[in-house]
Amino acid sequence: MFLYNLTLQTGGGINRAVCGNFSAPKAHEIVVARNKTLELLRPDQHGKTQVVFTTEVFGIIRSLAAFRLTGATKDYVAVGSDSGRIVILAFDPETQQFRKVHQETFGKSGVRRAVPGQHLVVDPKGRAVMIGAVEKQKLVYVLNRDAATNLTISSPLEANKSQCITFALTALDRGLENPGFAAIELEYGDADLDSTGEAAANAQKQLTFYELDLGLNHVARRKSEPIDNGSNMLIAVPGGSDGPGGVLIGCENFVLYKNENDAGELRVVIPRRKSLSGDRGVLLVNAASHKTKKDGFFFLVQSEYGDIYKIVLENGSGKCPGPSDQVANVKITYFDTVPTCVDLCVLRSGFLFAASEFGDHILYQFTSVGDDDSSDTIGQSSSQTLVETDEGYQPVFFDPQTPLRNLTPVDTLASLCPVLDAQCHELLGEETPQLYALCGAGSRSSLKILKRGVSLTEMAVSPLPGNPNAIFTVRKNAADAFDDYIVVSFVDATLVLKIGDTVEEVTDSGFVGDMPTLSASRIGDRDLLQVHPGGLRHARADGRVNEWRCPGRKTVTKCATNERQCVVSLSGGELVYFELDTTGALMEIEKVETSGDVACLSLPHTQKGQLRSKFCAVGSYDSTVRILSLSSEDCLQNVGVQALASAPNSLLLLHTKNGLYLNAGLNNGVLIRADVDDVTGTISEVRSRFLGTRPPLLYPTTMRGENAMVALSSRPWLGFTDLQNRFTLQPVSSEPLDHCASFASDQCPEGIVACCGNTLRVVVVDSLNESFNAQTTKLRYTPREMSVNPDKRLIAICESDNACVSYDKRDGPEGVSGERRTKDPNSMEDDADDDDDDDEFALTPAEQFGAPKASPGQWASCLRLVDPRDGATKQIIELENNEAALCLTHAYFPAADELFLVVGSVVGLTFAPRDCNGGFISLYRYLDDGHIELFHKTPVDGVPGAVCAFNGKLIAGVGNALRLYEFGKKKLLRKAECADFPNFVTTIHGSGDRVYVGDVQESFHYIKYKKEDSTLYVAADDTTPRHVTSAVPLDYDTMCGGDKFGNVFVTRLTKDASVEMEEDPTGGLNLDARSVLNGSAHKTTCVAQFHVGETVCALTKGTLTSGGNESVIYCSLNGTIGALSPFVNKEDVDFCTHLEMHLRQEKPPLLGRDHLAFRGAFFPVKNVIDGDLCEQFGLLNHDAQKRVAEDMDLSPSEILKKLEDLRAAVM
């Protein structure tokens, strides 16, 4: 078995984010790390966030820091990862990629506590960088420039201290003095030697200051002093010519200000919510600073509950302190509340980027910076008003505000992080199955119905007087950035609409409206060309009109135009070629007779620097397509021909980054795509894809400034070149469209105007980076598991949260009083009754503030039924008495002749140690209206971790035991038990008389069920310990699993062991005598192993495209969706193996991690080809592509075609 790994959608979770000017001096951008992916984001002036660059780094990004050398205009990015190297990157605007400036090795690879990479800070003047480990090691690199202004980096300077844990690290702003750094450290040497634990209880955190002496090239510990043991964060205060310097220390419930030259400190209480219980502290989790020339500087910090505070420093006169001022007061004020983030980025363009811990990331625009007078009375405290009592410092309270006061959301970046469960089903009656994913945590949880393809946002809808047969957009001037006219052709008339603040009909455009139009376009710089059945109408910019009439009784049947050329076909098969001459007149150049009527024509747009296109494509009803030359020497002569399986319906010659491609939509619904040689015009590397039951119509458009294609079949499709430089064909989640054209306006620079029936629609693509579009159903608590009722087509979900107040018991806006209906962002239907339509980014109070906190061990839980056809919640059942639902399934019991919903729940669950006050296995009966009611509850004496239907019975994992239940009228009847599992049962699957059990630490166990005496026994297990988090059976002997360390593996029972297991005459009675390695007699073997790099939380089997291969689809904690697709022949395995080998040399990972070591981080990679690495071939320059292709005895286009075919087989 060989598998092909392919990432279908990059993980949406962000673990690090920094802002700066990376591509240009005034480009306000954000670099985000999505665990193992690096992205560059750029918000435009409207607040729409564009993904400029994304790349897989084949490693784990642990830390990021942006810095700028003195006098430079652009920023660099320093990256700490699991490669054991520090890497400095610079963005290259020409290639639109990050290039590696420096790479310095300092330690072993992997995420280790004593290897630097967890902490990374840079001196504000860009003179030095410190990279630190969790324990012991800190290294300092001096940064400089050579004579050619290139960045140079020194050898590392050590600042190590043994038996010392680092909690936080920051670079001090000391102006032009020697660079300085500050760290929160804790020494544990005495605690290791003291067995009584007294030394550990008395351990004290220290604030340590380091100084880099640039003259002596040495790092020294300058000062160390004790600080609050609740300290967890350091924020550098601007110094030098910008401020007083020093550091802000975030502690539990307090913020401290310390200056390295002053022994004193200023303490201020962090305001807390009134609803927060007294035993809960307030910790700061992230911070951002902002400096202005006019108002000085301020800080925004966020607590673990999502509350943002503004911190300002004041001198004796109450103003922002300068370089020579003493800080007299620290003031902290409640600012706003947003979902808890991992990083906040304040952009100079007036935006705040909030990289959320879970769920979608949000871009906010500042409406104010909290300086208005009304904010003085809401949650404000200062060091001058600090009141100390006998019980401690007096707290300051506030109520979180809704709506937001100082921020306005302007854009969201969709994220599935975290995906906790996912299944592939077809419940909507569509061509391909959908992926149902449980995402999020707490109040921001959701069920997402993921459909393959990109989503559209409808900008405008207008009725038409009839059903059009064509639509065009026209720009009057070649220099115009936006379209001026929309031309709509009907059977006997043409409607011309002028684009402005409104779209209105005009009659003086230069186009004739009393006849149908075959083509309307600009030709030359300012002329207009209209092709109609009677001929051509060339309207000059000076008002003159030139007409060309068809000879005799012939009519124009097909046409193709570009900026300077026109080809028309006449009835009978005659082709006529026109071209602009030097005077701007449209001249007939050549005429040729063909063997029959022409089915379709295509002319590519002229490339920059060219006067004409060299070729045109002609499709014939004899199922062929021909490439004709337009050169003066052999005009309209065949230079390439391709036989097709069906007659072509539409053609499109399209220039992309990788060359010229011929796209042909056939009458059988298949899209043909082939390479066309730029010089000779020959056709090669033909690939095909079934699009739908309707013959595809192909139209050119623009996406990300590059040529793209829209194909209209029984569903629309969009073809474009993605950021990995590969051509991608994505379905569009929209109703079928009849005709379309590219559309550009001030509000919609890259849109599409389309007609559907008698309506005209302007739509824009939401995001080209998402392979799936989601329909979202919001949930109350963190989802645990889901199960599908195939008869009623309903989804059952169990939700539960620890330390959370139940929904029905919430008195504040987080409960019923604050719930409001939100509109589906993918819906194209208007809803006049929805008051929130004007705010598509509105969050409910529960999503914004989080659920009210309860004491640990207090659970809130519910069961939910969802109808996937409309995403509506059909029923919610709240569980009471501290009961939490953990697992569920649907089981059919023949004794009752009924399908039940089975739910495993627990009362008073605690995790360390794992214990409870009892549990239940509950049966819920479905009523005629689709609702459920409780049938009965069966008490159990442990934690039910998994349940599964099995041959008309129920298998349940209770603690470390496996139990078999039969149906009973009052409760379930236990018939068998197997308690031979080492730890805790997490997954159960059944097939035939076998049960496949996944243990939380000890991989899979194969259980044999003996029907004769109703017994269960362990017949086979694994030799490798694995912490199983998800599983899916592939066949009777094979299981695929994922573990918490990010590995996906396939384990199989050998054929001989399987036969012996089935034919065991003793029925498992002598297994103890044949035990191997203190386990069962039979052992499974690992047939495939692959390290994904993220905890795999869900595995399912499915097919995501019509006619594609069934694949194993995995979803990770970070929101990544990937697939493991089996190879169908040995040739593909050899091809991918050799390509992977070459790319490890030609395209090493950006951050210096060895690819083979990363994919085999815990176990050696086995029988899995990394498709993500193979697809890096498209990012190589031409010489490298040619070099690799020659070594493989192929051409670059053949390699690209094979990679496209492999991806098309999956999605």
Side-chain angles (χ1 to χ4, degrees):
M1 174 189 289
F2 286 88
L3 301 174
Y4 185 70
N5 172 72
L6 207 57
T7 298
L8 306 183
Q9 182 162 301
T10 304
I14 293 175
N15 58 321
R16 289 291 185 272
V18 294
C19 58
N21 311 117
F22 302 103
S23 63
K26 294 185 179 181
H28 304 288
E29 295 160 329
I30 308 162
V31 172
V32 299
R34 301 184 186 269
N35 193 50
K36 56 191 183 70
T37 304
L38 194 67
E39 281 189 4
L40 178 65
L41 309 178
R42 182 185 299 152
D44 60 20
Q45 66 270 22
H46 303 294
K48 189 70 175 176
T49 306
Q50 308 291 336
V51 180
V52 180
F53 169 75
T54 180
T55 184
E56 178 88 28
V57 300
F58 302 104
I60 306 300
I61 302 173
R62 303 174 66 187
S63 52
L64 287 177
F67 67 95
R68 180 180 302 186
L69 299 178
T70 303
T73 58
K74 294 197 301 181
D75 293 321
Y76 294 91
V77 183
V79 188
S81 67
D82 64 343
S83 63
R85 298 177 168 96
I86 182 172
V87 176
I88 296 178
L89 305 174
F91 190 77
D92 188 348
E94 294 184 1
T95 60
Q96 291 290 297
Q97 297 182 29
F98 276 109
R99 60 180 176 86
K100 193 184 303 183
V101 179
H102 277 289
Q103 174 179 294
E104 296 294 326
T105 304
F106 52 72
K108 294 181 179 179
S109 62
V111 179
R112 307 168 189 263
R113 65 179 187 174
V115 176
Q118 185 66 28
H119 306 289
L120 180 66
V121 293
V122 184
D123 173 64
K125 299 299 182 183
R127 299 172 296 174
V129 56
M130 175 179 275
I131 184 168
V134 174
E135 181 182 342
K136 184 181 178 181
Q137 289 199 50
K138 296 182 186 68
L139 302 176
V140 177
Y141 293 88
V142 179
L143 305 175
N144 215 324
R145 283 184 292 190
D146 58 16
T149 69
N150 295 319
L151 176 68
T152 61
I153 188 169
S154 71
S155 298
L157 305 175
E158 295 185 354
N160 301 339
K161 185 173 178 59
S162 299
Q163 298 179 326
C164 179
I165 296 175
T166 302
F167 289 88
L169 192 66
T170 191
L172 301 176
D173 190 347
R174 307 177 71 189
L176 298 178
E177 296 181 12
N178 285 330
F181 304 92
I184 298 177
E185 300 176 347
L186 177 65
E187 298 182 19
Y188 65 88
D190 295 339
D192 272 355
L193 300 176
D194 182 14
S195 60
T196 64
E198 183 179 353
N202 296 329
Q204 182 67 43
K205 288 183 179 179
Q206 302 283 325
L207 176 63
T208 306
F209 292 97
Y210 294 86
E211 182 178 6
L212 169 63
D213 193 320
L214 294 175
L216 299 177
N217 201 28
H218 173 70
V219 180
R221 292 169 63 95
R222 185 181 179 203
K223 182 181 179 182
S224 184
E225 56 185 86
I227 56 170
D228 194 304
N229 267 349
S231 304
N232 70 306
M233 175 187 288
L234 292 176
I235 309 168
V237 175
S241 60
D242 298 322
V247 64
L248 288 172
I249 307 166
C251 311
E252 187 174 9
N253 298 322
F254 301 99
V255 173
L256 309 179
Y257 171 75
K258 278 184 176 289
N259 195 307
E260 57 180 326
N261 299 319
D262 189 356
E265 69 177 28
L266 294 177
R267 179 184 294 261
V268 60
V269 174
I270 301 175
R272 56 190 294 125
R273 298 184 185 182
K274 292 180 181 179
S275 60
L276 200 62
S277 60
D279 59 342
R280 282 187 171 270
V282 179
L283 279 175
L284 302 181
V285 293
N286 58 71
S289 61
H290 185 64
K291 291 188 293 186
T292 61
K293 294 182 179 180
K294 179 181 178 182
D295 301 322
F297 56 87
F298 65 88
F299 307 92
L300 293 180
V301 297
Q302 188 182 37
S303 72
E304 57 186 315
Y305 307 111
D307 301 317
I308 296 180
Y309 306 93
K310 179 183 178 182
I311 299 178
V312 295
L313 305 184
E314 294 178 347
N315 56 18
S317 59
K319 296 183 179 180
C320 186
S324 59
D325 293 339
Q326 291 290 327
V327 177
N329 185 28
V330 179
K331 186 163 59 176
I332 180 169
T333 309
Y334 170 70
F335 190 76
D336 259 326
T337 298
V338 302
T340 308
C341 303
V342 295
D343 266 319
L344 292 174
C345 296
V346 178
L347 279 68
R348 291 188 175 274
S349 52
F351 295 109
L352 173 69
F353 179 71
S356 301
E357 186 179 15
F358 302 120
D360 297 345
H361 314 290
I362 307 176
L363 183 71
Y364 295 93
Q365 188 169 34
F366 284 99
T367 56
S368 72
V369 292
D371 290 335
D372 54 310
D373 295 335
S374 62
S375 65
D376 293 343
T377 60
I378 302 177
Q380 183 180 98
S381 66
S382 69
S383 57
Q384 292 180 345
T385 59
L386 185 67
V387 177
E388 187 173 4
T389 64
D390 295 337
E391 299 178 354
Y393 294 99
Q394 182 176 335
V396 176
F397 297 99
F398 70 94
D399 282 323
Q401 299 295 308
T402 181
L404 298 172
R405 299 181 307 158
N406 303 302
L407 300 171
T408 300
V410 293
D411 193 19
T412 61
L413 271 67
S415 171
L416 301 180
C417 173
V419 178
L420 302 177
D421 191 16
Q423 296 180 16
C424 189
H425 298 283
E426 205 301 288
L427 303 177
L428 305 181
E430 297 181 350
E431 296 179 1
T432 56
Q434 305 85 41
L435 201 59
Y436 297 84
L438 298 179
C439 306
S443 300
R444 299 192 73 197
S445 303
S446 61
L447 165 68
K448 293 188 181 292
I449 304 175
L450 303 175
K451 300 179 182 179
R452 172 85 172 84
V454 298
S455 59
L456 299 179
T457 296
E458 197 168 84
M459 307 294 289
V461 182
S462 176
L464 293 173
N467 291 344
N469 54 25
I471 186 170
F472 313 95
T473 54
V474 182
R475 300 179 188 180
K476 292 192 296 184
N477 197 312
D480 290 345
F482 304 127
D483 294 319
D484 295 292
Y485 298 116
I486 299 176
V487 181
V488 186
S489 174
F490 299 91
V491 175
D492 55 357
T494 296
L495 177 68
V496 182
L497 304 173
K498 183 175 178 58
I499 304 171
D501 295 335
T502 60
V503 177
E504 55 186 13
E505 183 179 358
V506 294
T507 57
D508 58 349
S509 62
F511 296 107
V512 177
D514 58 356
M515 62 182 71
T517 299
L518 299 178
S519 174
S521 62
R522 174 187 54 81
I523 193 165
D525 291 335
R526 299 175 60 192
D527 298 348
L528 300 178
L529 178 64
Q530 181 180 12
V531 182
H532 52 84
L536 278 66
R537 188 174 189 274
H538 180 197
R540 306 290 293 271
D542 56 8
R544 292 178 295 164
V545 175
N546 298 329
E547 295 269 0
W548 180 87
R549 295 289 181 181
C550 296
R553 296 185 177 181
K554 292 185 177 183
T555 59
V556 177
T557 57
K558 304 292 178 183
C559 67
T561 63
N562 63 17
E563 294 82 353
R564 298 189 58 85
Q565 298 163 286
C566 176
V567 178
V568 299
S569 67
L570 307 181
S571 52
E574 186 177 4
L575 283 179
V576 184
Y577 170 55
F578 300 87
E579 187 177 321
L580 286 181
D581 62 10
T582 55
T583 64
L586 191 64
M587 304 298 295
E588 180 180 334
I589 303 299
E590 188 62 65
K591 184 185 301 183
V592 65
E593 291 283 347
T594 62
S595 57
D597 284 343
V598 173
C600 43
L601 289 170
S602 179
L603 259 177
H605 289 292
T606 55
Q607 292 291 89
K608 187 176 181 180
Q610 295 182 349
L611 291 178
R612 66 171 68 88
S613 295
K614 296 177 61 177
F615 308 107
C616 74
V618 180
S620 304
Y621 289 104
D622 60 357
S623 299
T624 60
V625 58
R626 292 174 171 81
I627 300 297
L628 304 184
S629 172
L630 299 181
S631 301
S632 56
E633 300 83 7
D634 54 352
C635 191
L636 297 185
Q637 299 299 309
N638 286 340
V639 293
V641 63
Q642 177 66 45
L644 306 174
S646 177
N649 180 66
S650 178
L651 294 177
L652 179 63
L653 282 170
L654 195 68
H655 282 285
T656 69
K657 293 180 180 179
N658 300 319
L660 179 62
Y661 290 90
L662 171 66
N663 302 274
L666 309 186
N667 285 333
N668 59 4
V670 172
L671 173 70
I672 296 294
R673 184 166 173 267
D675 296 5
V676 177
D677 190 283
D678 290 334
V679 178
T680 64
T682 55
I683 302 175
S684 62
E685 306 304 330
V686 180
R687 50 277 236 188
S688 62
R689 180 115 182 226
F690 179 73
L691 299 189
T693 56
R694 203 173 81 185
L697 292 172
L698 308 181
Y699 301 93
T701 187
T702 303
M703 292 292 163
R704 292 201 188 103
E706 302 288 340
N707 291 331
M709 173 185 70
V710 177
L712 303 182
S713 184
S714 52
R715 66 183 301 186
W717 293 73
L718 183 65
F720 59 94
T721 303
D722 63 11
L723 295 176
Q724 304 299 321
N725 202 28
R726 61 179 178 235
F727 187 82
T728 302
L729 191 63
Q730 294 265 41
V732 177
S733 292
S734 167
E735 59 183 306
L737 303 176
D738 299 329
H739 305 278
C740 74
S742 63
F743 178 81
S745 69
D746 187 22
Q747 296 82 13
C748 182
E750 288 187 342
I752 297 171
V753 57
C755 53
C756 179
N758 62 347
T759 60
L760 187 70
R761 304 186 178 198
V762 177
V763 296
V764 62
V765 177
D766 287 339
S767 175
L768 295 177
N769 303 301
E770 305 295 331
S771 300
F772 299 88
N773 68 90
Q775 176 186 344
T776 302
T777 299
K778 295 183 179 181
L779 308 179
R780 289 182 180 175
Y781 314 116
T782 302
R784 304 296 173 178
E785 194 173 0
M786 66 178 169
S787 180
V788 172
N789 183 333
D791 298 333
K792 296 185 178 295
R793 295 193 172 222
L794 295 175
I795 301 174
I797 304 170
C798 62
E799 312 167 30
S800 57
D801 267 330
N802 189 21
C804 177
V805 177
S806 296
Y807 187 79
D808 295 338
K809 297 179 181 179
R810 300 176 187 174
D811 299 328
E814 299 91 347
V816 179
S817 61
E819 184 173 340
R820 61 174 179 260
R821 186 167 61 92
T822 56
K823 184 179 178 181
D824 180 10
N826 294 323
S827 174
M828 290 188 177
E829 298 180 2
D830 293 330
D831 192 346
D833 298 330
D834 192 350
D835 296 333
D836 295 324
D837 281 356
D838 57 340
D839 189 0
E840 60 178 311
F841 307 114
L843 300 176
T844 63
E847 292 176 289
Q848 182 180 348
F849 305 147
K853 302 299 180 183
S855 58
Q858 183 68 37
W859 287 81
S861 181
C862 72
L863 301 176
R864 181 186 300 263
L865 287 181
V866 177
D867 189 343
R869 286 160 285 196
D870 57 3
T873 296
K874 194 174 184 67
Q875 185 182 6
I876 298 179
I877 300 177
E878 281 282 340
L879 302 186
E880 300 178 348
N881 302 322
N882 203 23
E883 184 179 354
L886 301 181
C887 56
L888 81 170
T889 189
H890 283 89
Y892 173 76
F893 293 102
D897 192 24
E898 197 172 344
L899 183 70
F900 288 89
L901 175 64
V902 183
V903 180
S905 59
V906 65
V907 177
L909 175 64
T910 58
F911 293 103
R914 185 184 289 113
D915 197 7
C916 66
N917 298 327
F920 298 96
I921 298 178
S922 306
L923 261 62
Y924 288 85
R925 166 177 282 170
Y926 278 91
L927 305 178
D928 293 338
D929 59 357
H931 289 69
I932 58 174
E933 65 175 5
L934 180 64
F935 185 70
H936 63 58
K937 301 178 76 169
T938 304
V940 294
D941 56 359
V943 180
V947 288
C948 177
F950 180 71
N951 295 340
K953 301 177 179 62
L954 180 72
I955 288 279
V958 181
N960 66 339
L962 189 70
R963 295 177 182 175
L964 179 69
Y965 291 94
E966 284 189 353
F967 178 79
K969 293 184 178 180
K970 299 295 183 182
K971 66 176 184 178
L972 294 174
L973 308 176
R974 190 198 305 183
K975 293 298 182 181
E977 180 173 349
C978 179
D980 296 335
F981 302 99
N983 299 288
F984 184 77
V985 175
T986 57
T987 65
I988 301 176
H989 295 83
S991 178
D993 57 0
R994 290 185 187 176
V995 181
Y996 312 96
V997 177
D999 186 82
V1000 73
Q1001 277 185 273
E1002 297 295 338
S1003 192
F1004 291 121
H1005 295 70
Y1006 286 51
I1007 312 302
K1008 179 73 173 177
Y1009 171 63
K1010 289 178 60 181
K1011 187 176 180 180
E1012 297 79 11
D1013 53 1
S1014 188
T1015 58
L1016 298 166
Y1017 65 91
V1018 180
D1021 58 16
D1022 198 354
T1023 57
T1024 305
R1026 296 181 185 271
H1027 297 62
V1028 176
T1029 56
S1030 54
V1032 62
L1034 301 185
D1035 58 40
Y1036 197 55
D1037 296 324
T1038 311
M1039 286 293 295
C1040 179
D1043 66 24
K1044 73 175 186 178
F1045 300 111
N1047 300 302
V1048 177
F1049 61 95
V1050 178
T1051 182
R1052 173 178 289 169
L1053 199 63
T1054 62
K1055 185 177 181 180
D1056 294 340
S1058 179
V1059 172
E1060 187 176 345
M1061 178 177 165
E1062 293 295 324
E1063 299 176 355
D1064 184 3
T1066 67
L1069 297 179
N1070 65 338
L1071 287 180
D1072 292 339
R1074 297 187 295 157
S1075 175
V1076 177
L1077 299 176
N1078 295 322
S1080 63
H1082 303 296
K1083 301 295 178 183
T1084 60
T1085 58
C1086 180
V1087 296
Q1089 163 67 44
F1090 188 76
H1091 181 64
V1092 175
E1094 299 169 357
T1095 301
V1096 177
C1097 295
L1099 287 170
T1100 184
K1101 290 190 299 183
T1103 304
L1104 297 177
T1105 184
S1106 300
N1109 297 335
E1110 185 179 43
S1111 306
V1112 175
I1113 302 169
Y1114 61 83
C1115 299
S1116 77
L1117 191 66
N1118 203 50
T1120 298
I1121 301 176
L1124 293 168
S1125 176
F1127 283 99
V1128 296
N1129 55 62
K1130 183 65 174 175
E1131 290 75 13
D1132 289 349
V1133 175
D1134 293 339
F1135 165 82
C1136 291
T1137 302
H1138 285 85
L1139 180 60
E1140 192 180 34
M1141 178 185 65
H1142 283 290
L1143 288 174
R1144 288 193 184 113
Q1145 304 298 323
E1146 295 288 345
K1147 187 73 174 176
L1150 185 64
L1151 301 186
R1153 184 76 154 109
D1154 181 76
H1155 173 266
L1156 198 59
F1158 173 68
R1159 291 307 189 190
F1162 289 86
F1163 303 93
V1165 61
K1166 183 177 181 181
N1167 293 348
V1168 180
I1169 306 298
D1170 190 0
D1172 295 337
L1173 178 64
C1174 293
E1175 290 186 343
Q1176 299 278 311
F1177 179 81
L1179 296 177
L1180 298 177
N1181 57 49
H1182 179 72
D1183 293 337
Q1185 286 187 357
K1186 192 173 181 180
R1187 186 165 56 248
V1188 172
E1190 288 177 352
D1191 289 343
M1192 297 179 64
D1193 295 330
L1194 296 170
S1195 66
S1197 58
E1198 288 176 325
I1199 295 177
L1200 292 172
K1201 174 183 178 297
K1202 175 60 72 174
L1203 294 175
E1204 286 182 21
D1205 292 342
L1206 289 171
R1207 176 170 279 271
V1210 178
M1211 63 182 302

